[in-house]
Amino acid sequence: MGTKFGASLIALYLFFLFHTSFSASNNGLIRVGLKKRKLDQINRLGGPVDKEGLLGASERNYRLRGALGDSDTDIIALKNYMNAQYFGEIGIGTPSQKFTVVFDTGSSNLWVPSAKCYFSVACYFHSKYKSGYSSTYVKNGKSAEIHYGTGSISGFFSQDHVKLGDLVVKNQDFIEATKEPGVTFLAAKFDGLFGLGFQEISVGNAVPVWYNMVNQGLVKEPVFSFWFNRNAGEREGGEIVFGGVDSNHFKGEHTYVPVTQKGYWQFDMGDVLIGGETTGFCSGGCSAIADSGTSLLAGPTTVITQINHAIGASGVVSQECKAVVAEYGKTILEMLIAQAGPKKICSQIGLCYSDGTRDVSMGIESVVDKNGDKSSGVHSGAMCTACEMMVVWMQNQIKLNQTEDRILNYINELCDKLPSPMGESAVDCNSLSSMPSVSFTIGGKVFDLAPEQYVLQVGEGVAAQCISGFTALDLAPPRGPLWILGDVFMGQYHTVFDYGNMTVGFAEAA
C-alpha cells in the first residue's frame, strides 16, 4: 500500500478529531464524551475525517470514584467507528456559538474560524465565530500565526467566554482564524483546535483555556484525563474528564513520571523493545510526549525503521541509505569493530561535518551554513542521516555477534523498509498473529502494544488495508530527538495529565 494513502491519510496522525456532548458533575468535575469516526476508503481520498453516518447516541450513567469522592454523572455514549478520529464540542460567546475542536495536548492555543475569513475555502465548510453576535466579546486584534505539520492558520486574537458543558471560562483569549491554507483544514470536519499544552508554547503567550479553568476555580482538582475507546464494537467513543479521573476506564494503578520540560507534556522514557528485545536506541533514555492530537506513534527514523522492519511494514526505498551501504558499509563496520568513536565515524569518512550537522555533499551553500551557524544541530544531509542511522543499527548487530555479511544484508533490508517521505508504511492485515509486540519503558514499567493495537485497519473485508501505527518524525536538538506517544498509545493506556503535581500518568485502559 505504501504511497497509496497520500496527504489525507498523513493528516490523520497530526490531527485526531473530536465532536462531543457534555455533562457536568456537582463537584466541579467535567466529563466530555468523545465521538470516534470511521476512516474509510472515500475519506482517505478527500480528507482525514468522515462526519456523516453517525448513529444516534445512547446514554449511560457512570460513577466517578477515587480522590474526588463519589458522584453520579450522565455521559452521552457515542458511536464507535473503527478506532479512528475523536473530536468534541465547545461553545464560544454569549449566546454560545458551537464549534467542534481537537482537544490537543500537543499545542496550547484555542482557535476557531472567523466570520472574517473571506479568502480561504476551508472556512466556508466550517462553523465561524461571529463576534457581533456575542454580548461578551472583547476586541483584541493582535495578529497570530500557527504552523502545524500538515497546515497552518493565521488570524487575530479576540476575547470571549468559552463554554464546556455547563462550565463557562470567562474572558478567554483565542484566535479567530482568517486564513486556513492547504488541504488539511479544507478536508477536515473539525472547526478548530483546543490546546491543552503549557503556556510556554502558546502563540502570543496567550493563557491557555486549561489555565483559566484552574485559575477561575472551575475544577476541583488541577487534573484532566483521557480515555479513548479502541473497541469498535462499542458505541462510546471516549471521554476527556476535566478535574479528575474516571476509575471505570482504567485498571490497576497509574505509573506517574515527572514533566521534564514544560511546553508539551514531556517526560523521560526508557528503552524501546521489539518482541522483548532492546532496539539499542533508548537504553540510555529518551524524551517523549503524550499527545492527544497525534493519531499514530511517532519517533526517530532510526528506530521506527527497525520497528517497521520487524513487523513487515513496507516503506519507500531510500536510495541514499542503500548508496551508503554499498560504498561505506564495510568501512563503517570495520571502524565500529575497531572501537572508533561512533559519533565521529560519519564525519571521519566525510559524510557529515565534524560537528555532525550537515552532509558535505551539499556543496558551497552548506559551507556557508557551517560557517554561519554551527549550533543549529540540524542533520540536513540525507547521506549524513543515513550514515548515522547505519552506525546505530550496526552497533546493535555487533552486540548480537552477527557476521559481516549478515549485518550488511540486515542493513540493506532496513533501507528497503525506510518509511516514505511522509511516513506511512503498510502491513499485511493477515499477518497480525506473527508480528511482535512493541514496548516502551516509562517510569521503570514496560508498556506493551500488541499488533492489533498498533496496526490501524482502513476499510473492511477484502478491501481492508492496514497501516503501521509507527511513523518517523525527526526533530532536531535541542527539542529532539523526541517520541510522540499519540492515540495509538493513549488508546491502550488511560492517560492522566496532573497539572498540580506536574506529572503524566499511564494505566491500562478499561
Side-chain angles (χ1 to χ4, degrees), residues 165-453:
D166 295 328
L167 179 154
V168 177
V169 182
K170 296 181 179 180
N171 306 318
Q172 176 64 47
D173 289 330
F174 67 99
I175 298 171
E176 291 192 48
T178 56
K179 292 183 180 178
E180 298 181 16
V183 298
T184 299
F185 300 117
L186 174 64
K189 296 297 188 271
F190 65 89
D191 299 318
L193 209 70
F194 187 108
L196 286 165
F198 292 94
Q199 189 172 0
E200 278 77 0
I201 59 171
S202 175
V203 170
N205 200 36
V207 178
V209 182
W210 168 246
Y211 281 43
N212 281 329
M213 291 171 69
V214 175
N215 294 337
Q216 294 175 22
L218 300 177
V219 290
K220 185 174 182 179
E221 298 289 340
V223 172
F224 62 90
S225 55
F226 278 91
W227 168 64
F228 292 143
N229 190 353
R230 306 294 279 186
N231 190 332
E234 297 181 0
R235 299 175 69 87
E236 297 82 14
E239 67 182 27
I240 175 173
V241 179
F242 289 110
V245 299
D246 181 352
S247 61
N248 289 281
H249 289 310
F250 66 88
K251 301 175 183 178
E253 300 292 331
H254 286 82
T255 297
Y256 284 91
V257 287
V259 172
T260 56
Q261 184 170 344
K262 291 170 64 177
Y264 305 119
W265 287 84
Q266 183 171 326
F267 53 91
D268 288 335
M269 185 180 78
D271 206 0
V272 178
L273 311 173
I274 303 174
E277 298 294 331
T278 180
T279 59
F281 190 85
C282 288
S283 55
C286 284
S287 293
I289 66 173
D291 185 3
S292 62
T294 296
S295 298
L296 303 186
L297 197 157
T301 300
T302 305
V303 68
I304 291 296
T305 303
Q306 288 180 262
I307 293 173
N308 280 332
H309 172 266
I311 69 176
S314 302
V316 173
V317 176
S318 170
Q319 296 301 327
E320 292 87 353
C321 182
K322 302 201 79 171
V324 172
V325 175
E327 189 167 353
Y328 301 100
K330 289 186 177 182
T331 301
I332 295 172
L333 186 56
E334 290 171 358
M335 293 176 73
L336 284 171
I337 293 173
Q339 298 184 340
K343 294 182 179 180
K344 297 180 179 180
I345 287 177
C346 294
S347 61
Q348 288 174 346
I349 63 176
L351 293 181
C352 299
Y353 282 124
S354 59
D355 59 358
T357 57
R358 289 175 173 81
D359 177 0
V360 293
S361 66
M362 294 176 66
I364 296 176
E365 289 184 0
S366 66
V367 173
V368 173
D369 289 340
K370 180 188 178 187
N371 292 335
D373 181 14
K374 293 184 179 180
S375 61
S376 66
V378 179
H379 298 266
S380 57
M383 299 285 277
C384 175
T385 302
C387 177
E388 290 173 334
M389 290 193 296
M390 198 172 303
V391 168
V392 175
W393 295 335
M394 285 184 176
Q395 280 182 290
N396 206 39
Q397 290 297 298
I398 291 172
K399 291 177 183 178
L400 297 175
N401 293 319
Q402 300 290 349
T403 64
E404 176 182 303
D405 287 342
R406 293 196 64 174
I407 291 175
L408 293 176
N409 287 337
Y410 174 73
I411 302 303
N412 265 311
E413 289 175 2
L414 291 183
C415 288
D416 282 328
K417 301 298 183 181
L418 279 170
S420 75
M422 293 301 291
E424 70 272 21
S425 297
V427 296
D428 183 355
C429 295
N430 296 318
S431 299
L432 293 182
S433 61
S434 63
M435 294 180 189
S437 63
V438 178
S439 309
F440 300 85
T441 307
I442 301 172
K445 179 180 174 61
V446 176
F447 292 82
D448 298 317
L449 291 178
E452 59 271 16
Q453 297 171 334

Side-chain angles (χ1 to χ4, degrees), residues 51 58 168 280 293 300 465:
K51 200 171 183 179
S58 63
V168 177
Q465 295 178 319

